[in-house]
DNA sequence: GTCTATACCCGGATAGAC
DNA sequence: GTCTATCCGGGTATAGAC
């Protein structure tokens, strides 16, 4: 029973503070000590409410998936892509935490990941394989942009258009 | 002058050992202490040969880019994609280090990144925007696979095919 | 020049007192 | 529920032995 489904009110406060800290100052700032500081308690006290940092991050990630799912209500491929990219640019540290690196699904709120994936499947007309390819393209564009991996001066709008144009034809 | 272009022979040995350690045991194992252990010296001694861990990683990354560039000699889109995916699966920890997270280009061997990008531009017929979209798709598929982000049982060969099919038409 | 020992500050986490 | 004290492991700067 590793699920982070039911959080006590106090745990929710801690998760909220963690997300704020992450978004404001980045992943290095999200330490148990800094978080305790923000909450006015000592780091070890956090462990009375949440089992550890992994669970804390998983709760933040679950919230992020739900929020992303709520954002992606566009119907066309362009709207969907725009919403996805806009979410990532508005919450870069959160997006990175949500999507980069291994993920212990046991710790997530059940269903949160699926809900975030659903719009892409819809946009691909129910074709799971096409939806995964589309997601890979969108995530690739997004994370490479956030990580500054494209050459300086690259026209990312044009690259997005090229890709979406390709997927529109499938 | 932060470039990692010229390495002394001893520094090369250290970088090689770092890469082996990374590939064998993953990123958490790549600590200065563990690396020193492997080399039979103490961690602080490494700093006489390389300025720090960032420079060490950058040297490993530069080697990785050169090796990837040498691997990607296919001409067709399918060959290129297959080579890219095969490299990542053969060297998952190295691929992750090379492509995930922020990258301080100052520390890289000049040109290594460009040489790895060249085959994609060629495959896209010189269209930079199309090449970036293609790279985003390939990286997205690759990193999501390595990170176990696709649902269990997802047919990744089919997703790759779908995507390549889309890009073939542009 | 090369390596060692030592030390500092950061991180996650635990035990036990109040 | 919160505290203090403590452990272990990181990166890394400094000082000094050979």
């Amino acid at each position: 029973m590793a699920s982070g489904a039911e959080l006590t009110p106090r745990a929710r406060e801690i998760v909220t503070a963690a997300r704020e800290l992450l978004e404001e100052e980045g992943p290095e700032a999200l330490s148990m000590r800094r978080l305790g500081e923000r909450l006015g308690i000592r780091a070890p006290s956090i462990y009375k409410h949440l089992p550890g940092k992994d669970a804390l991050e998983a709760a933040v990630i679950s919230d992020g998936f739900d929020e992303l799912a709520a954002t992606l209500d566009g119907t066309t491929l362009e709207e969907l892509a725009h919403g996805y990219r806009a979410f990532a640019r508005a919450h870069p540290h959160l997006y990175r935490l949500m999507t980069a690196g291994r993920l212990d699904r046991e710790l997530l709120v059940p269903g949160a990941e699926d809900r975030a994936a659903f719009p892409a499947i819809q946009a691909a007309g129910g074709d799971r394989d096409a939806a995964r390819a589309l997601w890979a393209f969108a995530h690739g564009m997004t994370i490479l942009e956030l990580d500054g991996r494209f050459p300086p001066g690259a026209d990312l709008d044009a690259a997005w258009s090229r890709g979406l144009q390709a997927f529109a034809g499938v």
Side-chain angles (χ1 to χ4, degrees), chain A:
Chain A
M1 195 166 49
S3 150
E6 330 86 19
L7 292 180
T8 65
R10 185 60 172 145
R12 276 242 60 86
E13 288 176 23
I14 295 172
V15 171
T16 300
R19 170 164 174 182
E20 290 168 1
L21 189 55
L22 171 70
E23 296 218 41
E24 289 168 16
E25 303 189 41
E28 324 83 38
L30 185 51
S31 73
M32 300 304 262
R33 283 172 172 83
R34 292 273 279 111
L35 180 57
E37 216 173 279
R38 193 184 179 101
L39 290 161
I41 59 177
R42 303 286 157 198
S45 304
I46 299 171
Y47 290 82
K48 300 293 179 174
H49 305 281
L50 290 158
K53 204 191 179 190
D54 284 353
L56 173 69
E57 289 184 350
V60 172
I61 291 171
S62 294
D63 286 359
F65 279 137
D66 279 336
E67 196 175 316
L68 175 60
T71 303
L72 299 180
D73 56 356
T75 45
T76 72
L77 203 59
E78 279 75 19
E79 283 171 346
L80 191 64
H82 183 269
Y84 192 87
R85 187 183 181 192
F87 178 87
R89 294 172 107 182
H91 313 281
H93 297 304
L94 176 61
Y95 181 83
R96 233 185 291 252
L97 184 66
M98 287 167 59
T99 61
R102 296 213 143 272
L103 177 62
D104 190 350
R105 290 205 168 89
E106 303 275 310
L107 297 173
L108 290 185
V109 172
E113 208 183 359
D114 294 338
R115 286 191 289 279
F118 184 68
I121 298 171
Q122 242 183 344
D127 182 335
R128 244 93 177 161
D129 298 322
R132 280 165 199 147
L134 177 62
W135 178 38
F137 165 69
H139 172 63
M141 285 298 305
T142 300
I143 198 71
L144 291 171
E145 178 181 7
L146 288 187
D147 286 348
R149 292 300 184 126
F150 290 113
D155 186 346
L156 300 189
D157 289 342
W160 271 98
S161 292
R162 277 292 196 187
L164 292 177
Q165 176 189 339
F167 280 103
V170 180

